[in-house]
């Protein structure tokens, strides 16, 4: 199974980002806390060049907190400011402005020494589809300025949104990249909802999810579907069949797969992180 999604509006958005990057002071790069590396667009480094960056580890409420702390440290060590947030219920958003000023301290100091009049900081908000950009912007603006949806590809254009008097934010559509060199990244993005469901086989992604939870969070998997230790010893395909029957779908493995994917996305199997810091450090 090969997963890929790069529609025309993403190519257009990439061009627009390249054109407007010179008009902003800093980039807010949103990543999904459940896959903080796999949800980073590798094209960004080329587009953003040396522009200061604040990595916002969003959906932290769904991620394994121990892993999130390690990833915050990782990004700091890479030279980026980093902050774990949850834009859905506004947790961490009050720290964004202080963290932004901290990241731009030298630039703001130089402007002050030159006698320049203080102005609002301009930030571009960027990330892959369905990572929570529009939800964050609406929280900061205090009203619905950007269209949101629990599916990828909702934002199609770009718009400026003001946060108090200190920050102006440029919303951008979610941008993926033309080819996933590692198909495991495609599976992670499919499982968390960054890719349209019509573009992959749901049973393949459900099996991937079951393999992952069996390895890293077996107790959470067992609790959700009332599985015994003997059940967990089954092959992943057999486990999918068992869970499908337990959910009342008989032999409808498509429905069983859809239920598993939905449960994983909604956090019904508990908090989890697909990108393991230990594997990255190796």
């Amino acid at each position: 199974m090969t997963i890929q999604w790069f529609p025309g509006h993403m190519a257009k958005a990439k061009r627009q980002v390249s054109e407007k990057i010179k008009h902003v002071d800093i980039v807010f790069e949103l990543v999904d806390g459940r896959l903080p590396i796999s949800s980073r667009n590798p094209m960004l480094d080329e587009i953003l060049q040396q522009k200061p960056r604040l990595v916002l580890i969003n959906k932290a409420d769904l991620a394994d907190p121990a892993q999130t702390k390690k990833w915050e440290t990782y990004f700091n060590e890479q030279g980026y400011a980093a902050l774990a947030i949850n834009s859905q219920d506004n947790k961490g958003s009050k720290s964004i402005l202080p963290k932004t000023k901290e990241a731009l301290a030298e630039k703001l100091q130089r402007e002050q020494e030159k006698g320049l009049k203080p102005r609002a900081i301009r930030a571009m908000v960027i990330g892959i589809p369905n990572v929570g950009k529009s939800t964050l912007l609406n929280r900061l603006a205090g009203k619905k300025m950007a269209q949101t949806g629990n599916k990828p590809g909702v934002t199609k254009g770009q718009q400026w949104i003001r946060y108090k008097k200190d920050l102006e934010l440029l919303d951008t559509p979610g941008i993926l990249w033309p080819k996933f060199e590692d198909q495991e990244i495609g599976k992670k993005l499919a499982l968390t909802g960054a890719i349209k469901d019509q573009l992959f086989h749901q049973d393949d992604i459900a099996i991937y999810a079951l393999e992952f939870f069996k390895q890293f969070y077996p107790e959470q998997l067992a609790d959700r579907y009332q599985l015994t230790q003997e059940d967990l010893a089954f092959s992943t395909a057999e486990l999918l069949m068992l869970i499908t029957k337990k959910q009342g779908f008989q032999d409808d493995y498509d429905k069983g797969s859809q239920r598993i994917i939905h449960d994983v996305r909604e956090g019904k199997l508990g908090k989890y992180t697909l990108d393991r810091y230990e594997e990255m450090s190796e």
Side-chain angles (χ1 to χ4, degrees):
M1 179 185 65
T2 300
I3 300 173
Q4 212 60 56
W5 187 39
F6 193 70
H9 76 269
M10 288 190 188
K12 179 182 177 182
K14 178 177 178 284
R15 291 194 300 271
Q16 290 175 330
V17 167
S18 300
E19 292 166 1
K20 295 190 176 182
I21 189 65
K22 60 179 177 285
H23 299 302
V24 303
D25 303 298
I26 190 170
V27 172
F28 291 170
E29 181 187 358
L30 263 72
V31 299
D32 189 321
R34 299 166 296 179
L35 53 162
I37 297 298
S38 298
S39 60
R40 300 188 77 201
N41 188 330
M43 297 191 305
L44 286 186
D45 289 338
E46 176 189 346
I47 299 171
L48 305 181
Q49 299 173 8
Q50 300 303 312
K51 190 69 66 174
R53 208 180 306 187
L54 171 58
V55 179
L56 297 173
I57 305 172
N58 196 24
K59 304 189 180 183
D61 59 314
L62 297 175
D64 182 331
Q67 287 286 315
T68 299
K69 285 183 180 179
K70 292 175 181 178
W71 284 119
E72 274 191 279
T73 301
Y74 167 82
F75 286 120
N76 287 325
E77 290 173 347
Q78 297 300 307
Y80 304 125
L83 181 66
I85 65 170
N86 175 25
S87 59
Q88 194 66 44
D89 60 15
N90 221 18
K91 286 184 180 177
S93 61
K94 289 182 179 178
S95 300
I96 291 176
L97 183 57
K99 202 77 174 178
T100 302
K101 290 182 176 179
E102 182 183 318
L104 293 173
E106 291 184 10
K107 174 183 173 66
L108 297 174
Q109 179 68 27
R110 287 196 302 270
E111 291 180 353
Q112 186 179 6
E113 289 172 355
K114 290 177 182 178
L116 298 177
K117 186 178 178 182
R119 59 169 177 79
I121 295 170
R122 291 187 292 269
M124 177 183 287
V125 183
I126 199 163
I128 67 168
N130 202 30
V131 79
K133 298 182 302 299
S134 296
T135 301
L136 173 64
L137 288 161
N138 290 336
R139 295 294 185 190
L140 293 176
K143 54 185 174 181
K144 188 168 183 177
M145 300 287 289
Q147 187 180 3
T148 63
N150 190 25
K151 59 181 179 179
V154 173
T155 302
K156 293 293 197 299
Q158 297 181 328
Q159 59 177 321
W160 285 96
I161 293 171
R162 194 171 185 88
Y163 174 56
K164 299 181 178 178
K165 67 180 190 306
D166 300 303
L167 198 57
E168 292 177 352
L169 301 154
L170 178 62
D171 188 16
T172 63
I175 308 173
L176 287 170
W177 52 104
K179 184 179 181 182
F180 302 141
E181 298 296 339
D182 182 354
Q183 275 299 303
E184 180 147 346
I185 290 176
K187 291 177 182 177
K188 291 177 180 179
L189 295 173
L191 179 59
T192 52
I195 294 173
K196 287 185 175 179
D197 290 348
Q198 299 89 330
L199 298 178
F200 57 84
H201 300 300
Q202 302 218 347
D203 56 340
D204 287 340
I205 300 306
I207 285 174
Y208 172 76
L210 291 175
E211 288 174 348
F212 172 80
F213 275 88
K214 276 179 67 176
Q215 180 177 357
F216 292 104
Y217 304 100
E219 291 181 1
Q220 294 174 198
L221 179 63
D223 287 346
R224 176 60 185 170
Y225 299 116
Q226 294 84 51
L227 303 173
T228 66
Q229 288 301 312
E230 290 76 14
D231 295 336
L232 291 175
F234 288 170
S235 71
T236 314
E238 290 172 327
L239 196 55
L240 172 60
M241 291 188 281
L242 176 62
I243 292 172
T244 297
K245 287 183 170 61
K246 279 178 170 285
Q247 297 296 305
F249 299 132
Q250 301 308 319
D251 296 326
D252 192 337
Y253 303 122
D254 286 339
K255 283 189 177 179
S257 298
Q258 290 167 11
R259 172 62 60 84
I260 290 168
I261 293 170
H262 174 269
D263 287 351
V264 171
R265 289 177 181 173
E266 296 298 315
K268 295 185 184 298
L269 277 78
K271 299 182 178 185
Y272 65 96
T273 299
L274 296 169
D275 286 344
R276 312 300 294 176
Y277 175 81
E278 295 76 15
E279 293 177 359
M280 178 73 178
S281 60
E282 289 174 4

